[in-house]
Amino acid sequence: MTTTLNGQTATVASTAREVADELAAKGVKYAAISFVDMHGKPKSKMVPLGHLTQAALGSEMFTGAALDGVPQDVNDDEVAPHPDLDHPIVMPFNREVAWFPGDLWIGDTPFNACSRQILKRVTADAAALGYTFNLGIETEFFLLTDTDEPAPASIDDNLDKPCYDLRTMLHNYPVVDEIVSAMNELGWDVYSFDHEDGNGQFETDFTYTNVVSMSDRLVFFRMMVGEIARKHGLFASWMPKPFADRTGSGAHYNMSLADASGTNLFAAVDDPRGCGLSTLGYQFIAGVLRHADAICAVIAPTVNSYKRLVKQGSMSGLTWAPVFACYGDNNRTNMLRIPKGGGRVECRAADAANNPYLGGALMLAAGLEGIREQLDPGDPNRDNLYRLTEADLVERGIGWLPRSLGEAIDALEADPLVRSVFGDEMFESFVTEKRAEWDGYNAHVSAWETDRYLRFW
């Protein structure tokens, strides 16, 4: 499909009519023309299929000032999502609706602060170098009772270490099966799923694809899991750390670059460092580590995210979350891990609350910088970094990742790469929104404080 700058070509209209006819034959009645706000939450207007052609040409308008991270004033021209007609998703939980990921435009011009447009700009930079950025995301989430005091769904209270527990998985089989079956119906190819380390916490693992499509899938997945959970009297939480004594929910990025033929350019048979990674892969790692602190503000974007990125804080012992800006082989205490077998790089700092379009854009831009400048990340770390002393860390040149959202936003604001990737409007909006979140948290008087101090003296 082709389009001109004003999006009014006959090709778009013709394609929209064909797509509408195909969807109608499947029983679809409505199209949800969607985009995301700064937080990666889907926004939409629903149109009857008979109006998909107009919507494909930008007929559905939104006031950006009404949304987080769509930086506009109330007097600005409205934004309009142009649906990706090549990738509609018929909702498995409501087959009368098809969801279309979309790119925001203003009139005849792409909207620079659109999260999906930001990602597509960086993937275009990668394509100019001959690369496709492939991404897999491990989806972790909690299923909780939809009550005044939410609790994990169907737990075994006798378990301090519920990770991989079969009984707890079977207790939740009806809802998890519906989720996995829906994913496979969509062609996502789930290859495993399990009960995770927190009671009521689950993970699904499915096949990677290009970064734009994977980002679309994560946005849709969070919505889909929530809708399926509701049918079972539950709700799905994507909060990074909902329980202080349990591990949090990550969304590990598994990253690689491919050439035009689809060959994995990170794979290497002869790797002198023994990780199964190519020189290109190591250069990518070095670029990400250079910008790790700023990246954290985007892939771990909430106050609560930094209660997940700690060494201790789980009934089962260590949290398995990365706290250091470094890389290693199959060692899970690094921010960046090269899983056994090589050929990809896993970022373990990303959590379930991230906006994958912005996270993917910044990660790719940092990796491409490492490739262009032929950076070297040094030797991999193979031991348990949690056990190193501060002196050991200094000797190895290993720094801590930000320990709060405030620290992460400071790093992001000071890193010129972020502004160049996001553009001025999204950059300023992101910093303003996240600083307000951090300031609001600091001003809040918590129950912990009153319990400790109210009668202390």
Side-chain angles (χ1 to χ4, degrees), residues 254-283:
N254 288 272
M255 305 173 286
S256 62
L257 293 177
D259 63 17
S261 70
T263 300
N264 183 353
L265 299 175
F266 280 9
V269 176
D270 297 319
D271 173 9
R273 303 186 209 206
C275 297
L277 198 70
S278 67
T279 298
L280 197 78
Y282 286 114
Q283 292 170 347

mmCIF file of all heavy atoms in Angstrom, residues 254-283:
data_model
loop_
_atom_site.group_PDB
_atom_site.id
_atom_site.type_symbol
_atom_site.label_atom_id
_atom_site.label_comp_id
_atom_site.label_asym_id
_atom_site.label_seq_id
_atom_site.Cartn_x
_atom_site.Cartn_y
_atom_site.Cartn_z
ATOM 1 N N ASN A 254 13.913 -8.899 24.013
ATOM 2 C CA ASN A 254 14.874 -9.792 23.370
ATOM 3 C C ASN A 254 15.132 -9.269 21.962
ATOM 4 O O ASN A 254 14.239 -9.312 21.109
ATOM 5 C CB ASN A 254 14.337 -11.215 23.349
ATOM 6 C CG ASN A 254 14.345 -11.836 24.736
ATOM 7 O OD1 ASN A 254 15.337 -12.425 25.142
ATOM 8 N ND2 ASN A 254 13.255 -11.688 25.481
ATOM 9 N N MET A 255 16.345 -8.772 21.732
ATOM 10 C CA MET A 255 16.629 -7.930 20.575
ATOM 11 C C MET A 255 17.671 -8.556 19.642
ATOM 12 O O MET A 255 18.623 -9.187 20.090
ATOM 13 C CB MET A 255 17.155 -6.575 21.055
ATOM 14 C CG MET A 255 16.219 -5.874 22.037
ATOM 15 S SD MET A 255 16.945 -4.365 22.766
ATOM 16 C CE MET A 255 18.144 -5.089 23.909
ATOM 17 N N SER A 256 17.478 -8.347 18.341
ATOM 18 C CA SER A 256 18.473 -8.727 17.345
ATOM 19 C C SER A 256 18.260 -7.901 16.090
ATOM 20 O O SER A 256 17.188 -7.329 15.881
ATOM 21 C CB SER A 256 18.381 -10.232 17.013
ATOM 22 O OG SER A 256 17.113 -10.540 16.451
ATOM 23 N N LEU A 257 19.275 -7.846 15.268
ATOM 24 C CA LEU A 257 19.199 -7.200 13.960
ATOM 25 C C LEU A 257 19.297 -8.259 12.870
ATOM 26 O O LEU A 257 20.038 -9.240 13.015
ATOM 27 C CB LEU A 257 20.326 -6.179 13.778
ATOM 28 C CG LEU A 257 20.297 -4.934 14.666
ATOM 29 C CD1 LEU A 257 21.533 -4.068 14.403
ATOM 30 C CD2 LEU A 257 19.029 -4.122 14.456
ATOM 31 N N ALA A 258 18.542 -8.058 11.810
ATOM 32 C CA ALA A 258 18.587 -8.967 10.661
ATOM 33 C C ALA A 258 18.883 -8.171 9.401
ATOM 34 O O ALA A 258 18.632 -6.952 9.337
ATOM 35 C CB ALA A 258 17.255 -9.703 10.512
ATOM 36 N N ASP A 259 19.404 -8.858 8.377
ATOM 37 C CA ASP A 259 19.614 -8.204 7.091
ATOM 38 C C ASP A 259 18.377 -8.392 6.210
ATOM 39 O O ASP A 259 17.351 -8.929 6.658
ATOM 40 C CB ASP A 259 20.888 -8.713 6.410
ATOM 41 C CG ASP A 259 20.837 -10.197 6.065
ATOM 42 O OD1 ASP A 259 19.719 -10.780 6.046
ATOM 43 O OD2 ASP A 259 21.909 -10.782 5.798
ATOM 44 N N ALA A 260 18.459 -7.960 4.970
ATOM 45 C CA ALA A 260 17.297 -7.987 4.077
ATOM 46 C C ALA A 260 16.790 -9.407 3.820
ATOM 47 O O ALA A 260 15.610 -9.609 3.543
ATOM 48 C CB ALA A 260 17.657 -7.312 2.753
ATOM 49 N N SER A 261 17.660 -10.396 3.942
ATOM 50 C CA SER A 261 17.248 -11.782 3.723
ATOM 51 C C SER A 261 16.685 -12.434 4.971
ATOM 52 O O SER A 261 16.236 -13.583 4.931
ATOM 53 C CB SER A 261 18.445 -12.604 3.211
ATOM 54 O OG SER A 261 19.412 -12.773 4.245
ATOM 55 N N GLY A 262 16.723 -11.703 6.102
ATOM 56 C CA GLY A 262 16.238 -12.254 7.356
ATOM 57 C C GLY A 262 17.299 -12.933 8.197
ATOM 58 O O GLY A 262 17.004 -13.463 9.272
ATOM 59 N N THR A 263 18.539 -12.913 7.751
ATOM 60 C CA THR A 263 19.630 -13.541 8.496
ATOM 61 C C THR A 263 19.905 -12.771 9.782
ATOM 62 O O THR A 263 20.016 -11.537 9.778
ATOM 63 C CB THR A 263 20.910 -13.588 7.646
ATOM 64 O OG1 THR A 263 20.656 -14.342 6.460
ATOM 65 C CG2 THR A 263 22.060 -14.215 8.415
ATOM 66 N N ASN A 264 20.021 -13.481 10.890
ATOM 67 C CA ASN A 264 20.293 -12.870 12.190
ATOM 68 C C ASN A 264 21.743 -12.398 12.241
ATOM 69 O O ASN A 264 22.678 -13.207 12.239
ATOM 70 C CB ASN A 264 20.015 -13.883 13.307
ATOM 71 C CG ASN A 264 20.206 -13.284 14.695
ATOM 72 O OD1 ASN A 264 20.657 -12.153 14.857
ATOM 73 N ND2 ASN A 264 19.857 -14.058 15.710
ATOM 74 N N LEU A 265 21.930 -11.091 12.312
ATOM 75 C CA LEU A 265 23.271 -10.517 12.294
ATOM 76 C C LEU A 265 23.930 -10.500 13.667
ATOM 77 O O LEU A 265 25.104 -10.138 13.785
ATOM 78 C CB LEU A 265 23.217 -9.092 11.732
ATOM 79 C CG LEU A 265 22.703 -8.976 10.296
ATOM 80 C CD1 LEU A 265 22.576 -7.512 9.892
ATOM 81 C CD2 LEU A 265 23.615 -9.720 9.334
ATOM 82 N N PHE A 266 23.203 -10.891 14.703
ATOM 83 C CA PHE A 266 23.791 -10.993 16.042
ATOM 84 C C PHE A 266 24.360 -12.390 16.306
ATOM 85 O O PHE A 266 25.082 -12.591 17.286
ATOM 86 C CB PHE A 266 22.762 -10.667 17.121
ATOM 87 C CG PHE A 266 22.535 -9.191 17.343
ATOM 88 C CD1 PHE A 266 23.067 -8.239 16.503
ATOM 89 C CD2 PHE A 266 21.768 -8.758 18.421
ATOM 90 C CE1 PHE A 266 22.850 -6.884 16.712
ATOM 91 C CE2 PHE A 266 21.546 -7.407 18.649
ATOM 92 C CZ PHE A 266 22.085 -6.464 17.795
ATOM 93 N N ALA A 267 24.014 -13.358 15.500
ATOM 94 C CA ALA A 267 24.466 -14.732 15.719
ATOM 95 C C ALA A 267 25.908 -14.897 15.239
ATOM 96 O O ALA A 267 26.306 -14.330 14.227
ATOM 97 C CB ALA A 267 23.555 -15.712 14.981
ATOM 98 N N ALA A 268 26.684 -15.678 16.004
ATOM 99 C CA ALA A 268 28.081 -15.927 15.635
ATOM 100 C C ALA A 268 28.480 -17.316 16.116
ATOM 101 O O ALA A 268 28.238 -17.669 17.275
ATOM 102 C CB ALA A 268 28.997 -14.879 16.253
ATOM 103 N N VAL A 269 29.085 -18.084 15.230
ATOM 104 C CA VAL A 269 29.573 -19.417 15.608
ATOM 105 C C VAL A 269 30.875 -19.297 16.381
ATOM 106 O O VAL A 269 31.080 -19.954 17.413
ATOM 107 C CB VAL A 269 29.765 -20.288 14.349
ATOM 108 C CG1 VAL A 269 30.368 -21.635 14.734
ATOM 109 C CG2 VAL A 269 28.449 -20.472 13.610
ATOM 110 N N ASP A 270 31.764 -18.448 15.899
ATOM 111 C CA ASP A 270 33.068 -18.270 16.538
ATOM 112 C C ASP A 270 33.100 -16.922 17.250
ATOM 113 O O ASP A 270 33.348 -15.883 16.632
ATOM 114 C CB ASP A 270 34.192 -18.340 15.494
ATOM 115 C CG ASP A 270 34.258 -19.694 14.811
ATOM 116 O OD1 ASP A 270 34.107 -20.708 15.518
ATOM 117 O OD2 ASP A 270 34.443 -19.726 13.573
ATOM 118 N N ASP A 271 32.810 -16.951 18.525
ATOM 119 C CA ASP A 271 32.823 -15.746 19.346
ATOM 120 C C ASP A 271 33.914 -15.915 20.394
ATOM 121 O O ASP A 271 33.793 -16.744 21.299
ATOM 122 C CB ASP A 271 31.465 -15.547 20.013
ATOM 123 C CG ASP A 271 31.468 -14.393 21.023
ATOM 124 O OD1 ASP A 271 32.459 -13.646 21.072
ATOM 125 O OD2 ASP A 271 30.467 -14.259 21.757
ATOM 126 N N PRO A 272 35.016 -15.156 20.306
ATOM 127 C CA PRO A 272 36.115 -15.330 21.262
ATOM 128 C C PRO A 272 35.701 -15.050 22.707
ATOM 129 O O PRO A 272 36.365 -15.516 23.636
ATOM 130 C CB PRO A 272 37.161 -14.319 20.777
ATOM 131 C CG PRO A 272 36.429 -13.355 19.910
ATOM 132 C CD PRO A 272 35.305 -14.125 19.302
ATOM 133 N N ARG A 273 34.598 -14.323 22.908
ATOM 134 C CA ARG A 273 34.143 -14.068 24.279
ATOM 135 C C ARG A 273 33.220 -15.172 24.786
ATOM 136 O O ARG A 273 32.805 -15.151 25.941
ATOM 137 C CB ARG A 273 33.431 -12.719 24.343
ATOM 138 C CG ARG A 273 34.298 -11.574 23.860
ATOM 139 C CD ARG A 273 33.639 -10.223 24.054
ATOM 140 N NE ARG A 273 34.088 -9.277 23.041
ATOM 141 C CZ ARG A 273 34.104 -7.963 23.189
ATOM 142 N NH1 ARG A 273 33.687 -7.419 24.317
ATOM 143 N NH2 ARG A 273 34.528 -7.187 22.214
ATOM 144 N N GLY A 274 32.881 -16.120 23.896
ATOM 145 C CA GLY A 274 32.160 -17.297 24.322
ATOM 146 C C GLY A 274 30.680 -17.135 24.541
ATOM 147 O O GLY A 274 30.037 -17.993 25.172
ATOM 148 N N CYS A 275 30.056 -16.060 24.023
ATOM 149 C CA CYS A 275 28.627 -15.820 24.245
ATOM 150 C C CYS A 275 27.766 -16.118 23.020
ATOM 151 O O CYS A 275 26.538 -16.014 23.087
ATOM 152 C CB CYS A 275 28.394 -14.366 24.666
ATOM 153 S SG CYS A 275 29.161 -13.917 26.231
ATOM 154 N N GLY A 276 28.411 -16.443 21.896
ATOM 155 C CA GLY A 276 27.640 -16.696 20.686
ATOM 156 C C GLY A 276 27.076 -15.438 20.057
ATOM 157 O O GLY A 276 26.014 -15.475 19.419
ATOM 158 N N LEU A 277 27.773 -14.319 20.230
ATOM 159 C CA LEU A 277 27.306 -13.033 19.714
ATOM 160 C C LEU A 277 28.334 -12.462 18.745
ATOM 161 O O LEU A 277 29.541 -12.596 18.949
ATOM 162 C CB LEU A 277 27.069 -12.051 20.868
ATOM 163 C CG LEU A 277 26.189 -10.838 20.573
ATOM 164 C CD1 LEU A 277 24.744 -11.269 20.372
ATOM 165 C CD2 LEU A 277 26.273 -9.814 21.703
ATOM 166 N N SER A 278 27.841 -11.781 17.712
ATOM 167 C CA SER A 278 28.723 -11.189 16.709
ATOM 168 C C SER A 278 29.294 -9.862 17.202
ATOM 169 O O SER A 278 28.835 -9.282 18.199
ATOM 170 C CB SER A 278 27.940 -10.943 15.416
ATOM 171 O OG SER A 278 26.958 -9.932 15.620
ATOM 172 N N THR A 279 30.291 -9.376 16.483
ATOM 173 C CA THR A 279 30.856 -8.047 16.791
ATOM 174 C C THR A 279 29.770 -6.986 16.735
ATOM 175 O O THR A 279 29.724 -6.080 17.579
ATOM 176 C CB THR A 279 31.986 -7.709 15.793
ATOM 177 O OG1 THR A 279 33.042 -8.673 15.930
ATOM 178 C CG2 THR A 279 32.542 -6.322 16.056
ATOM 179 N N LEU A 280 28.880 -7.092 15.753
ATOM 180 C CA LEU A 280 27.774 -6.139 15.631
ATOM 181 C C LEU A 280 26.920 -6.156 16.903
ATOM 182 O O LEU A 280 26.495 -5.096 17.389
ATOM 183 C CB LEU A 280 26.918 -6.492 14.418
ATOM 184 C CG LEU A 280 25.979 -5.407 13.901
ATOM 185 C CD1 LEU A 280 26.758 -4.370 13.096
ATOM 186 C CD2 LEU A 280 24.888 -6.016 13.019
ATOM 187 N N GLY A 281 26.668 -7.329 17.429
ATOM 188 C CA GLY A 281 25.872 -7.448 18.640
ATOM 189 C C GLY A 281 26.547 -6.789 19.827
ATOM 190 O O GLY A 281 25.890 -6.122 20.646
ATOM 191 N N TYR A 282 27.853 -6.976 19.954
ATOM 192 C CA TYR A 282 28.584 -6.340 21.050
ATOM 193 C C TYR A 282 28.583 -4.818 20.907
ATOM 194 O O TYR A 282 28.477 -4.085 21.906
ATOM 195 C CB TYR A 282 30.014 -6.872 21.119
ATOM 196 C CG TYR A 282 30.116 -8.266 21.680
ATOM 197 C CD1 TYR A 282 30.533 -9.324 20.880
ATOM 198 C CD2 TYR A 282 29.778 -8.536 23.010
ATOM 199 C CE1 TYR A 282 30.624 -10.619 21.380
ATOM 200 C CE2 TYR A 282 29.868 -9.830 23.529
ATOM 201 C CZ TYR A 282 30.281 -10.863 22.706
ATOM 202 O OH TYR A 282 30.352 -12.139 23.208
ATOM 203 N N GLN A 283 28.711 -4.336 19.685
ATOM 204 C CA GLN A 283 28.649 -2.889 19.469
ATOM 205 C C GLN A 283 27.275 -2.338 19.861
ATOM 206 O O GLN A 283 27.164 -1.262 20.468
ATOM 207 C CB GLN A 283 28.958 -2.576 18.006
ATOM 208 C CG GLN A 283 30.388 -2.871 17.601
ATOM 209 C CD GLN A 283 30.621 -2.782 16.107
ATOM 210 O OE1 GLN A 283 29.672 -2.725 15.304
ATOM 211 N NE2 GLN A 283 31.883 -2.768 15.697
#
